[in-house]
Amino acid sequence: MYTPWVATACYPTLRFDLERDSFVVWLRWVSMERPPSPDAPPSQGIRVELQLNRNPVLGPTILYRRDLDAPVYLRANGARTRDVLRRAAGRGGFVDVQLVIHGSVANAPYAALYLVRDYEGEAISTTALAATPLLQLQPSTPGDQWHVAAQANLRVAIELEGARVHLEVLG
């Protein structure tokens, strides 16, 4: 008797410490367009959004080109992230991570998503983190296109560490 081969999906495991860990998106502007774009059109910039299980934890946030002379770090909302991860851990333990960017100049936006521990501020520095990003995006279109968009998705199994106590306020 023939038994068909059945594949089983395997997902990477992400350990997240609820007290110490944060998702951080690193954004930079890569000006490679030829000919150069106008110097300061008002709408030129990057829109970024990070979602966990289709729940926004960062953005949509708009950063203009003038704000991206140096790379910028954006931290996901900690309370919202913990809430989404707690619910995911209780419902099978899988999280769909989605990073979306839109830009207004060809080859311009670049974004990388990191999981960092003991992140204290809104900006770490302007140098790249000494880590491998979970996701990274750099859309590329022909030079005559003035809008680009990119999206990256990752499904992970989640293991939570740290404070597991969660109180709901009943009104």
Side-chain angles (χ1 to χ4, degrees), residues 9-10 42 47 77 94 102 107 125 128 142 163-164:
C10 296
R47 183 179 68 130
N77 180 292
F94 291 101
H102 295 269
N107 303 315
S125 70
R164 295 183 182 268

Side-chain angles (χ1 to χ4, degrees), residues 79-146:
R80 182 77 174 134
T81 298
R82 288 187 295 275
D83 182 50
V84 172
L85 294 179
R86 280 188 191 108
R87 281 188 278 133
R91 294 183 188 147
F94 291 101
V95 175
D96 292 314
V97 180
Q98 181 179 63
L99 180 62
V100 181
I101 59 173
H102 295 269
S104 56
V105 175
N107 303 315
Y110 172 87
L113 174 66
Y114 294 93
L115 174 63
V116 295
R117 182 156 290 172
D118 297 328
Y119 177 79
E120 294 296 329
E122 292 304 318
I124 298 171
S125 70
T126 58
T127 59
L129 290 171
T132 302
L134 294 172
L135 296 171
Q136 56 186 348
L137 299 170
Q138 184 171 5
S140 181
T141 62
D144 61 346
Q145 300 292 318
W146 285 90

Side-chain angles (χ1 to χ4, degrees), residues 46-62:
I46 298 173
R47 183 179 68 130
V48 62
E49 183 172 13
L50 175 63
Q51 295 186 7
L52 303 177
N53 285 349
R54 290 182 266 162
N55 294 285
V57 294
L58 172 64
T61 299
I62 297 173

Side-chain angles (χ1 to χ4, degrees), residues 141-164:
T141 62
D144 61 346
Q145 300 292 318
W146 285 90
H147 186 268
V148 292
Q151 172 179 319
N153 302 298
L154 174 67
R155 175 167 261 209
V156 296
I158 190 77
E159 289 183 8
L160 298 180
E161 300 173 1
R164 295 183 182 268

